[in-house]
Amino acid sequence: MQQRKKIIGSLLLLFGLSPLQAQQNVFPYRDSKLPVEVRTQDLLSRMTLEEKVGQLLCPLGWNMYQIDGKKVHASEQFKKMTQERQVGMLWGTFRADPWTKKTLENGLNPKLAAEAGNALQKYVIEHTRLGIPLFLAEEAPHGHMAIGTTVFPTGIGMASTWNPDLLEKEGHAIAEEIRLQGGHISYGPVLDLSRDPRWSRVEETFGEDPVLSGDLAAAMIKGFGGGDLERPDATVVTLKHFIAYGIPQGGQNGGPSYVGMREINSDYLPPFHQALKAGALSVMTSYNSLDGIPCTVNRYLLTDVLRKKWKFRGFSVSDLYAIEGLQSSHCVASSSAEGAVRSLEAGLDADLGGDAFFTLIKSVREHKVDEALVDTAVCRILRLKFEMGLFEHPYVDPAKAEREVRSATHVALARECAQNLITLLKNGDNLLPLSRSIGKVAVIGPNADNTYNMLGDYTAPQAAGYVVTVLDGVIRKVGASRVQYVKGCAIRDTTYNGIQEAVKVAESSDVVIAVVGGSSARDFKTSYKETGAAVTDASVVSDMECGEGFDRATLTLLGRQMELLKALNATGKPLVVVYIEGRPLNKNWAAEHADALLTAWYPGQEGGNAIADVLFGDYNPAGRLPVSVPRSVGQLPVYYNKRNPVAHDYVEETAKPLYAFGYGLSYSRFEYSGLKVSPKGNNSFEVSFSVKNAGNYDGDEIPQLYLRDMVASVVQPVKQLKHYCRVFLRKGEEKTIIFELAKDDFALVNEAMERVVESGKFLLQVGASSDDIRLTDYIEIP
């Protein structure tokens, strides 16, 4: 402590402030002209242990405000917590969903949210000794999870766009809406590589591939502000979840992940590193364990990798109640206090939930943990508050939030995102696009006109008219008089049976659009764990079969959905099947029997318009799969870049997925030619080739470049995506595509766990998907 005071004194003298001036209540930490580090150290020197620990706590925020008529003020619960714990952060203050019990009636619209944030800031600034403003952290995986905001497609859908530029725009829109309402920290994107579709949170991720995931995350973070916190529309981005959370044993959320450290370094860490280099300033640990070590107390990850290797300057935070989980779930701590000490010593900075780290006050006083570790964690958080200018500008304009959140521009962007992601899997006899002059259109299925099933998990309640369903979109194309709708069945509940009515409607129509799949729509009948994960209950049959906590043992359509599809097919009418889903559900039957097949994942609030745009030819689909679609759970895990050897077939079926990573059709067709590889020195190469739109429709193509290391010192993937682009081509148009292969594209993690480039031969593959390779060549690394 004495040494730190000397350093602070030197810094103050350097900038013209004597220790005497500081003691006379000229507080340097309030001087915006001073460097952030000087302000941080000065503030730290004035803080008590209780005030320091308070900055590391991030309790649940949705009960911290109270609405009285048209006014919002700090709740008595918040005032008490401020007095007792002096918290530095809140999580989910503006959140609304069945778990929080915040609805359209008792929750916050954008204007009230801004007023609530202002009221909380005003209270802590005026009623605490040092007046340190709050950080307000908000969920933002596919839009700010608050009432009245724009709902974009979920992560797996955005990954299907293969369009980093679009994700940058999405990130900027989300950040704008969070900051307008007074939020500062955005939770998301989710960078877990999802290689087990039984897992309940596939929908939040960017899929199975590290290169695609890293690229899309970096683009989204650039949109969030790229770490430039002086921008009024920039957020502190929190990456989720560190690490290997998406491959739990048995597909069960939070289960242990079995993966070697070489693969951790080659596949799972690079997307996070790329995202941090793009400007993310916070990392959330994951619930799972790796080789017996829970990630929340994994010193190798939190200190050796983040701090020492990557020089990470932001702060880490636990997942909700993950520190308590060290005792209750992992059984590696005898108490939450012990878990808190172990987490802090491993390098964790903040506690989401805020109870476990509160015990650090006692632990420090009992000499069970060094106060210097608390100081380090506190500084990491305070620095970002200073960088964001919260001490100078803690308040926002509620009228501006009311005007600009969910703007027409953002709604249009949501539609563009949904258009970009829709993936055409089959188009028999070129049934699609449908003519607008078609006669009767039957729109049938449990997801044809279900508002919340379009949106995915981590979504707030929606006002009437905010969400466009598939039925809405089709009616807008051809008119209500030519559209017939029947639900047919539920997603899971077998007690409802409208199949006979659906068949009658189909028989009197010219084409059938069947909209099936899954749901992550939470309801007030479902129970939730204290972490927010849903609890499955056999006595309650909601639509929800996906979303955090809803892991699956199979991937088949549930309820009577298969019965419905077969009955519709038996009518002999042209059958278009659209999947609305959060994970790659089984599509074997539809792939064989449907005339056309598409997936739209959870396409967000504008999904119905976008799907109709594709079905009726106003938009040429160009989505590509970011995950492999398995034929059965017996194939799992099935992903394109498995390590050698190449998988052999099973007795019952092929080892190949039904649809491979990168797959997706267009209404047009594209030809590849003229592959050229030109050395550029230092083990880098220019790869060029031509792509021609040889079909009858303008549209996008997504050329993909893969490498295969033919002989290496350690086992390598059978192939690995390295580069791709989304390019628009008018019918008959041809363009030259150029990719730059850099030295690192040939790197591997060797036996000594070093990232190196080895000499040898690489197979270069260029094509339309991982299993549709059109051009090949070899590259020799000397």
Side-chain angles (χ1 to χ4, degrees):
M1 181 65 76
Q2 192 64 35
Q3 180 64 26
R4 190 172 70 235
K5 287 181 178 178
K6 289 180 180 179
I7 295 172
I8 295 167
S10 299
L11 289 169
L12 294 174
L13 288 170
L14 178 64
F15 290 95
L17 290 165
S18 69
L20 179 60
Q21 286 177 303
Q23 292 167 11
Q24 292 174 341
N25 291 330
V26 179
F27 299 128
Y29 77 87
R30 293 200 170 277
D31 186 350
S32 63
K33 297 178 182 178
L34 291 176
V36 165
E37 190 60 33
V38 173
R39 300 178 73 187
T40 301
Q41 292 297 334
D42 175 68
L43 178 54
L44 183 69
S45 72
R46 301 174 188 279
M47 297 173 74
T48 65
L49 175 60
E50 288 80 2
E51 288 167 334
K52 293 175 187 176
V53 170
Q55 291 297 306
L56 309 183
L57 309 182
C58 188
L60 286 58
W62 50 84
N63 290 321
M64 301 303 164
Y65 63 85
Q66 185 172 329
I67 303 175
D68 289 328
K70 295 183 178 180
K71 293 186 177 181
V72 188
H73 56 79
S75 68
E76 291 303 315
Q77 182 178 343
F78 176 71
K79 294 176 182 179
K80 181 180 179 182
M81 179 173 286
T82 300
Q83 293 167 0
E84 295 177 353
R85 299 198 173 188
Q86 303 171 75
V87 297
M89 289 183 276
L90 293 176
W91 170 66
T93 305
F94 311 138
R95 178 172 176 156
D97 66 347
W99 179 45
T100 63
K101 296 181 171 56
K102 296 294 183 180
T103 66
L104 293 171
E105 289 72 33
N106 66 5
L108 300 167
N109 59 37
K111 181 182 179 183
L112 289 178
E115 291 176 357
N118 286 348
L120 298 177
Q121 296 288 18
K122 182 178 175 64
Y123 187 84
V124 297
I125 289 170
E126 294 181 356
H127 293 85
T128 59
R129 189 174 68 89
L130 296 171
I132 304 172
L134 291 166
F135 258 158
L136 298 181
E138 294 291 310
E139 292 290 349
H142 59 112
H144 180 197
M145 189 184 177
I147 294 169
T149 61
T150 310
V151 185
F152 292 93
T154 57
I156 197 70
M158 291 304 298
S160 297
T161 70
W162 291 56
N163 190 341
D165 291 341
L166 194 58
L167 272 89
E168 181 181 343
K169 294 178 184 177
E170 180 204 19
H172 184 245
I174 295 170
E176 275 188 329
E177 296 193 353
I178 289 174
R179 292 301 306 275
L180 282 167
Q181 295 173 89
H184 314 103
I185 300 173
S186 50
Y187 282 3
V190 175
L191 295 187
D192 306 300
L193 298 187
S194 53
R195 291 174 171 177
D196 191 331
R198 296 173 298 178
W199 181 50
S200 53
R201 304 187 71 174
V202 171
E203 66 183 82
E204 301 175 49
T205 76
F206 290 145
E208 69 188 34
D209 182 66
V211 172
L212 182 64
S213 295
D215 286 351
L216 298 181
M220 195 172 185
I221 290 158
K222 184 178 179 182
F224 276 117
D228 181 5
L229 300 185
E230 292 183 0
R231 287 175 43 175
D233 57 356
T235 62
V236 174
V237 175
T238 298
L239 305 176
K240 300 161 68 172
H241 307 84
F242 204 60
I243 198 163
Y245 179 47
I247 53 167
Q249 187 178 35
Q252 295 207 323
N253 188 45
S257 300
Y258 292 97
V259 58
M261 291 311 298
R262 181 166 291 99
E263 195 167 355
I264 287 289
N265 279 274
S266 65
D267 287 20
Y268 293 87
L269 287 175
F272 281 86
H273 193 200
Q274 188 173 351
L276 292 176
K277 287 189 290 186
L281 290 168
S282 178
V283 173
M284 178 182 289
T285 63
S286 51
Y287 286 125
N288 60 298
S289 63
L290 283 175
D291 195 24
I293 308 298
C295 291
T296 304
V297 291
N298 193 316
R299 181 177 177 82
Y300 170 75
L301 294 174
L302 296 175
T303 297
D304 295 346
V305 173
L306 275 181
R307 303 296 176 184
K308 296 179 180 179
K309 186 175 181 180
W310 292 352
K311 311 302 180 185
F312 175 54
R313 70 179 187 87
F315 69 91
S316 57
V317 60
S318 72
D319 207 334
L320 185 59
Y321 299 128
I323 300 172
E324 286 87 343
L326 298 172
Q327 177 189 15
S328 60
S329 296
H330 295 291
C331 304
V332 297
S334 60
S335 65
S336 59
E338 180 188 343
V341 169
R342 288 189 58 187
S343 299
L344 184 71
E345 290 178 337
L348 186 69
D349 299 312
D351 172 13
L352 181 55
D355 292 331
F357 263 21
F358 186 65
T359 65
L360 290 174
I361 298 170
K362 183 179 180 182
S363 295
V364 168
R365 293 216 165 103
E366 293 177 351
H367 305 290
K368 293 180 179 179
V369 67
D370 191 342
E371 186 176 353
L373 294 177
V374 174
D375 291 352
T376 298
V378 172
C379 284
R380 290 166 178 164
I381 293 166
L382 291 179
R383 285 189 193 103
L384 300 188
K385 289 187 177 184
F386 283 120
E387 286 184 25
M388 189 170 269
L390 283 188
F391 287 81
E392 293 73 46
H393 306 288
Y395 306 117
V396 295
D397 181 355
K400 188 175 183 182
E402 184 178 34
R403 288 194 311 269
E404 298 183 17
V405 171
R406 199 182 179 276
S407 66
T409 300
H410 290 177
V411 172
L413 178 61
R415 184 170 183 167
E416 182 183 359
C417 290
Q419 290 171 331
N420 269 247
L421 72 85
I422 294 169
T423 307
L424 180 62
L425 302 174
K426 180 183 179 181
N427 193 18
D429 295 327
N430 294 319
L431 172 64
L432 299 179
L434 300 173
S435 170
R436 290 202 189 192
S437 62
I438 197 169
K440 290 286 186 180
V441 179
V443 180
I444 296 170
N447 276 341
D449 191 37
N450 190 313
T451 294
Y452 286 99
N453 288 6
M454 302 289 288
L455 305 180
D457 205 357
Y458 287 89
T459 301
Q462 301 296 306
Y466 269 24
V467 179
V468 182
T469 67
V470 178
L471 176 62
D472 295 332
V474 173
I475 288 174
R476 292 177 184 183
K477 293 296 182 187
V478 300
S481 63
R482 288 158 56 196
V483 177
Q484 303 181 90
Y485 164 70
V486 176
K487 181 178 179 180
C489 68
I491 295 292
R492 294 175 57 201
D493 191 352
T494 58
T495 60
Y496 171 71
N497 187 347
I499 295 176
Q500 187 174 358
E501 182 186 1
V503 168
K504 289 181 180 179
V505 166
E507 288 175 337
S508 64
S509 300
D510 295 286
V511 66
V512 178
I513 300 171
V515 191
V516 296
S519 169
S520 294
R522 296 172 178 242
D523 58 46
F524 285 92
K525 297 177 183 178
T526 303
S527 299
Y528 301 94
K529 299 179 182 179
E530 63 177 5
T531 61
V535 178
T536 55
D537 184 347
S539 66
V540 178
V541 187
S542 68
D543 272 358
M544 192 173 182
E545 55 78 59
C546 192
E548 187 173 359
F550 272 67
D551 308 308
R552 291 282 305 270
T554 70
L555 297 173
T556 55
L557 290 173
L558 296 178
R560 296 181 178 270
Q561 291 186 87
M562 278 307 307
E563 183 181 347
L564 173 65
L565 288 180
K566 290 178 180 178
L568 295 175
N569 185 59
T571 66
K573 298 292 183 173
L575 177 62
V576 179
V577 176
V578 179
Y579 273 68
I580 305 293
E581 57 186 344
R583 52 163 61 90
L585 294 168
N586 186 291
K587 298 177 178 65
N588 295 355
W589 184 91
E592 182 177 353
H593 297 284
D595 296 289
L597 174 62
L598 308 90
T599 181
W601 302 106
Y602 292 140
Q605 68 174 65
E606 288 295 304
N609 279 329
I611 291 168
D613 289 339
V614 168
L615 293 178
F616 289 91
D618 293 325
Y619 190 88
N620 189 350
R624 300 293 184 265
L625 293 174
V627 289
S628 305
V629 178
R631 299 173 186 271
S632 69
V633 293
Q635 290 182 318
L636 300 180
V638 57
Y639 52 95
Y640 88 96
N641 54 349
K642 282 186 176 181
R643 264 54 181 173
N644 286 310
V646 176
H648 60 267
D649 289 343
Y650 298 96
V651 172
E652 302 94 334
E653 64 184 2
T654 175
K656 295 180 179 179
L658 179 67
Y659 295 114
F661 174 84
Y663 175 80
L665 301 176
S666 167
Y667 293 153
S668 198
R669 61 185 182 85
F670 299 90
E671 297 175 349
Y672 290 64
S673 63
L675 178 64
K676 295 180 181 178
V677 180
S678 304
K680 307 298 287 186
N682 193 30
N683 292 334
S684 63
F685 300 82
E686 180 182 276
V687 178
S688 64
F689 55 94
S690 296
V691 177
K692 181 179 181 180
N693 185 341
N696 297 320
Y697 297 88
D698 300 343
D700 293 349
E701 173 65 336
I702 304 181
Q704 302 161 36
L705 186 156
Y706 298 85
L707 285 180
R708 171 177 170 81
D709 194 339
M710 301 304 293
V711 179
S713 62
V714 293
V715 178
Q716 291 299 288
V718 295
K719 66 177 62 176
Q720 174 58 55
L721 178 73
K722 294 297 180 180
H723 294 282
Y724 59 90
C725 65
R726 183 164 179 145
V727 57
F728 175 76
L729 293 165
R730 299 191 182 279
K731 60 182 180 180
E733 184 180 7
E734 185 172 8
K735 287 184 178 179
T736 299
I737 307 298
I738 298 175
F739 292 134
E740 299 288 342
L741 281 171
K743 180 179 180 180
D744 193 63
D745 287 321
F746 299 94
L748 55 75
V749 179
N750 67 9
E751 192 172 357
M753 301 300 287
E754 301 166 330
R755 189 167 180 85
V756 299
V757 175
E758 298 179 341
S759 61
K761 184 181 289 186
F762 289 80
L763 175 61
L764 171 68
Q765 303 174 330
V766 172
S769 76
S770 63
D771 71 344
D772 183 10
I773 301 302
R774 310 288 183 85
L775 305 169
T776 62
D777 199 352
Y778 285 95
I779 292 177
E780 192 80 31
I781 299 295

